[in-house]
Amino acid sequence: MTGRTQSRGGRPTMKDVAAHVGTSIKSVSRVLNGEPGVSADTTERILRAMADLGFRRNDLARGLRQSDRTGTVGLVLPQAATRYHDSLVRGLEEVARRHGSLVLTASSGTAAQERETLVSLCSRRVDGLVVVPAGTDHGFLQPEQAAGVPIVFVDRPPHGIDADLVLTDDAGGARRATSHLLEQGHRSIGVIGADAGIHTVAERLRGHREGLTEAGLAQRRNLLRPGCETAAQAAAACLSLFASPDPPTALFTLNNQCTIGAVRALHTLRRARSTALVGFDDFETADLLDPPVTVVAHDVGEIGRRAAALVFGRLEGTITGRSGSHVLPTSLTERGSGGIPPQR
Amino acid sequence: MTGRTQSRGGRPTMKDVAAHVGTSIKSVSRVLNGEPGVSADTTERILRAMADLGFRRNDLARGLRQSDRTGTVGLVLPQAATRYHDSLVRGLEEVARRHGSLVLTASSGTAAQERETLVSLCSRRVDGLVVVPAGTDHGFLQPEQAAGVPIVFVDRPPHGIDADLVLTDDAGGARRATSHLLEQGHRSIGVIGADAGIHTVAERLRGHREGLTEAGLAQRRNLLRPGCETAAQAAAACLSLFASPDPPTALFTLNNQCTIGAVRALHTLRRARSTALVGFDDFETADLLDPPVTVVAHDVGEIGRRAAALVFGRLEGTITGRSGSHVLPTSLTERGSGGIPPQR
């Protein structure tokens, strides 16, 4: 018992955490018990100190005690809901409701906002957490996890924490989309997508490159248009591709918004019927557009159901052992736009 | 001091509430202070007893005490998010974030689920509530409101409670849509919508009738197809309209899902270019369909911002006095489908 922040044979106590942060034991207790009255900033410093010191509640892991349950699961999304997230929420709620649990959804936005949102949800106590991560470090969630709160990440792997993960076979789907276009004879495929720093985007780009490599082709930089966050940006990117001296004969768009933006631009250019197009993600009116849009489809509701099954399985002890990755498949829904042959 | 459930000069206390419900004072205190450990059922009975007995916290109204704030606003939607709700959430979050507050969204579903969801949110303490109501009685929220938690209803008026309300001019928008079709010479307009018991649907039907009446026409029952909750049901309703001996020459669809279902059916029937169509609510690909779809548009994000402004205005004392109704306007976005003349 010599350390400044350790007492009682090396196991840190609430007092140690309070001393480390420079706050009162009452504040630490409040954070631990999910009571209000501690600022977000102090809450975060307390949670970080718990992680740094390896603090553990010395009662049983919270998740094992039925009476401590709050009947709520937190879902954190990287931005306000999009069509994609609707299905995710619905899948999650379907399973949560069967377990008598309420899903509380919050948006994160930036990495800082994500941290604040997660800390706020934890301090209000949830039985489990499902996170579509925006930030790059989730180590601050370790004390919560250690206290018995199951945490499941969706779409993108977390950093600084070992947790269950539900992914889509992004690379496989992109490879399939690329092969479909190559089979029609296309050798010049424009790619429009969001920021390549996002895990799903990087994976889809990797799958596209693999598809090209299989056919003995290399990725050409001038055909790539990453960084499109909105349909309007995707439309502009599409226009710029066709304004270049060597325009593509086909397009692969990496999400819904990019697909819709590209279709809008192709209509403007009167190229919708002469340019092949495959989009990643299905969307509601894809079959009603002219031509109907071929997409890489995946069951987003199933991602939500799977994430919920992991949360409740861990909570109820039917799933034990180390955390794992679950990769869900994609399929190609051919509607017509992907079958257009190369034209100049 | 003679009443069974009243003491101290007629003002009910926590003890009175506990006695009324047949539970412990500790449970009542927990519900009041948003602490866990009380079942949803008991929580609800306690909240109902507080309403019945006229229980009020005897400290200052909670909303006036900055230190009691939890920095969260609850949003309850009648079902898992739809495209319409995305914009609502975004608008609400935009304003909440400026006030340093987190929006927690939960879905309700049935009236019973709504009550459970609202009770659960209240027992977890939120600074304010925004509700798109599904249920028919919201009197159980009175104690929460009396304790200083601003409650704003959206889209549909509540029952059993007097609260701020943000509505869309549904009747006005429907009247405008109907007049637009009548101006093209249509005298037989099919109407496809959701359950007519829903306030917004009833208002849109009323506006449609008023538009017909202005033109000296009466609503014909055989042209009405209510009760369509999904695009597939709307498509089936559309097919049935055109299978009748006296099919319409134009359609008015009362929401997004109905519009998309009707377009799908018109494509199947090869009638998309010969049947006029106006839909209530705009949607992302409306301009990309063939023909582009004319819609009654309204700014759903503004509904969210307005609701948030009411919550924070009440919370911060910049809005005082009796609750009021705020009706937001609609506009007709003409894209082509509404301008098709009658054809047989």
Side-chain angles (χ1 to χ4, degrees):
Chain A
M1 211 182 109
T2 52
R4 187 175 58 90
T5 57
Q6 301 265 320
S7 55
R8 272 201 291 179
R11 291 201 58 188
T13 62
M14 288 210 288
K15 197 174 159 189
D16 299 324
V17 174
H20 192 82
V21 175
T23 183
S24 66
I25 295 179
K26 181 70 194 160
S27 291
V28 177
S29 157
R30 279 184 167 146
V31 168
L32 265 177
N33 295 311
E35 291 168 9
V38 184
S39 74
D41 181 59
T42 304
T43 301
E44 190 182 325
R45 285 191 296 128
I46 289 170
L47 287 176
R48 205 178 313 177
M50 287 178 184
D52 292 348
L53 300 176
F55 177 90
R56 299 286 175 269
R57 279 186 181 82
N58 57 7
D59 49 15
L60 286 171
R62 186 208 301 175
L64 298 175
R65 296 176 54 186
Q66 185 74 35
S67 64
D68 272 353
R69 299 267 176 87
T70 58
T72 48
V73 170
L75 169 66
V76 177
L77 301 172
Q79 66 266 327
T82 67
R83 200 66 175 165
Y84 170 88
H85 293 136
D86 289 356
S87 309
L88 184 71
V89 175
R90 255 191 288 267
L92 188 58
E93 281 183 343
E94 192 185 310
V95 175
R97 230 183 253 288
R98 278 208 298 273
H99 289 266
S101 207
L102 182 71
V103 177
L104 293 178
T105 305
S107 308
S108 59
T110 65
Q113 285 168 338
E114 178 183 69
R115 191 172 182 127
E116 204 181 306
T117 300
L118 282 164
V119 164
S120 172
L121 270 175
C122 289
S123 77
R124 299 173 68 71
R125 298 186 58 177
V126 286
D127 297 331
L129 268 178
V130 177
V131 186
V132 182
T136 51
D137 177 23
H138 298 90
F140 67 97
L141 288 172
Q142 279 181 15
E144 202 66 17
Q145 192 185 42
V149 176
I151 305 178
V152 177
F153 286 82
V154 167
D155 268 2
R156 307 164 193 176
H159 298 276
I161 189 169
D162 186 36
D164 286 314
L165 183 57
V166 183
L167 298 172
T168 297
D169 181 15
D170 290 298
R175 206 161 48 229
R176 183 85 190 76
T178 303
S179 299
H180 182 61
L181 292 170
L182 293 171
E183 282 158 18
Q184 321 302 319
H186 294 281
R187 290 296 172 269
S188 176
I189 304 171
V191 179
I192 302 172
D195 181 358
I198 299 170
H199 178 79
T200 48
V201 179
E203 282 295 292
R204 290 169 194 183
L205 286 172
R206 181 169 72 81
H208 174 63
R209 272 197 312 275
E210 287 177 6
L212 292 174
T213 305
E214 275 172 23
L217 298 172
Q219 170 74 75
R220 280 155 53 197
R221 222 167 219 297
N222 61 322
L223 291 174
L224 282 184
R225 292 292 184 279
C228 300
E229 306 299 331
T230 63
Q233 288 172 351
C238 183
L239 294 178
S240 87
L241 275 172
F242 285 97
S244 73
D246 185 22
T249 61
L251 293 176
F252 176 37
T253 47
L254 302 188
N255 69 22
N256 267 348
Q257 290 302 308
C258 291
T259 307
I260 290 168
V263 170
R264 196 164 279 136
L266 291 176
H267 273 264
T268 307
L269 295 168
R270 301 188 174 278
R271 280 181 184 268
R273 290 184 181 199
S274 58
T275 306
L277 170 68
V278 178
F280 209 109
D281 295 339
D282 204 358
F283 59 100
E284 200 166 23
T285 54
D287 64 316
L288 295 177
L289 300 185
D290 181 23
V293 181
T294 293
V295 299
V296 178
H298 53 136
D299 187 347
V300 184
E302 179 59 22
I303 297 178
R305 286 188 293 272
R306 193 69 71 94
L310 284 163
V311 165
F312 290 102
R314 294 272 178 200
L315 211 49
E316 290 161 9
T318 55
I319 299 175
T320 55
R322 289 204 48 156
S323 56
S325 283
H326 305 258
V327 181
L328 301 185
T330 65
S331 60
L332 191 73
T333 303
E334 293 186 43
R335 295 202 177 99
S337 71
I340 297 171
Q343 286 163 49
R344 286 285 177 185
Chain B
M1 207 182 113
T2 52
R4 187 174 59 87
T5 56
Q6 300 268 319
S7 55
R8 274 202 289 178
R11 291 201 57 189
T13 64
M14 289 210 287
K15 197 175 159 189
D16 300 322
V17 174
H20 191 82
V21 175
T23 183
S24 66
I25 294 179
K26 180 71 195 159
S27 292
V28 177
S29 157
R30 279 185 168 146
V31 169
L32 265 177
N33 294 311
E35 291 168 10
V38 185
S39 73
D41 180 59
T42 305
T43 301
E44 191 183 326
R45 284 191 296 127
I46 290 171
L47 287 176
R48 205 178 312 176
M50 287 178 185
D52 291 348
L53 300 176
F55 177 90
R56 298 288 175 268
R57 280 186 180 81
N58 57 8
D59 48 15
L60 285 172
R62 187 207 302 173
L64 298 175
R65 295 176 54 187
Q66 186 73 36
S67 63
D68 272 353
R69 299 265 176 89
T70 59
T72 48
V73 170
L75 169 65
V76 177
L77 301 173
Q79 64 269 327
T82 67
R83 201 63 173 167
Y84 169 89
H85 293 135
D86 290 356
S87 309
L88 185 71
V89 175
R90 254 191 288 267
L92 189 57
E93 280 182 344
E94 192 186 311
V95 175
R97 229 182 256 288
R98 278 207 301 271
H99 288 266
S101 207
L102 181 70
V103 177
L104 293 178
T105 305
S107 308
S108 60
T110 64
Q113 284 168 339
E114 177 183 70
R115 192 173 180 127
E116 206 182 305
T117 300
L118 282 163
V119 164
S120 172
L121 271 174
C122 289
S123 77
R124 299 174 67 70
R125 297 185 61 175
V126 286
D127 296 332
L129 269 177
V130 177
V131 186
V132 183
T136 51
D137 177 23
H138 298 90
F140 65 96
L141 288 171
Q142 279 181 16
E144 202 65 18
Q145 192 187 43
V149 177
I151 304 177
V152 177
F153 286 82
V154 167
D155 267 4
R156 308 163 192 177
H159 297 277
I161 190 170
D162 186 37
D164 285 314
L165 182 57
V166 183
L167 298 172
T168 297
D169 181 14
D170 290 297
R175 206 163 46 229
R176 183 86 190 78
T178 304
S179 299
H180 183 61
L181 291 170
L182 293 171
E183 283 159 18
Q184 320 303 317
H186 294 282
R187 290 298 174 266
S188 175
I189 304 171
V191 179
I192 302 173
D195 181 357
I198 299 170
H199 178 78
T200 48
V201 179
E203 282 294 291
R204 290 169 194 182
L205 286 172
R206 181 170 72 83
H208 174 64
R209 273 197 310 277
E210 287 177 5
L212 291 175
T213 305
E214 275 172 22
L217 297 171
Q219 170 76 75
R220 280 154 53 197
R221 221 168 218 296
N222 62 320
L223 291 174
L224 282 184
R225 291 293 184 279
C228 302
E229 305 300 330
T230 64
Q233 289 172 349
C238 182
L239 293 178
S240 87
L241 275 172
F242 284 98
S244 72
D246 184 23
T249 59
L251 293 176
F252 176 38
T253 47
L254 302 188
N255 69 23
N256 266 349
Q257 291 302 308
C258 291
T259 307
I260 290 167
V263 169
R264 196 163 280 137
L266 291 176
H267 274 264
T268 307
L269 295 168
R270 301 190 174 279
R271 281 180 184 270
R273 291 184 181 198
S274 59
T275 307
L277 170 68
V278 179
F280 209 110
D281 295 338
D282 205 356
F283 59 101
E284 201 166 21
T285 55
D287 63 316
L288 295 176
L289 300 185
D290 180 23
V293 181
T294 293
V295 298
V296 178
H298 53 135
D299 187 346
V300 184
E302 179 60 22
I303 297 179
R305 287 188 291 273
R306 193 68 70 95
L310 284 163
V311 165
F312 291 102
R314 294 273 179 199
L315 211 48
E316 290 160 9
T318 55
I319 299 175
T320 54
R322 291 205 48 159
S323 56
S325 284
H326 306 258
V327 181
L328 302 185
T330 65
S331 60
L332 191 74
T333 303
E334 293 187 43
R335 295 201 177 101
S337 71
I340 296 172
Q343 285 163 51
R344 286 286 175 181

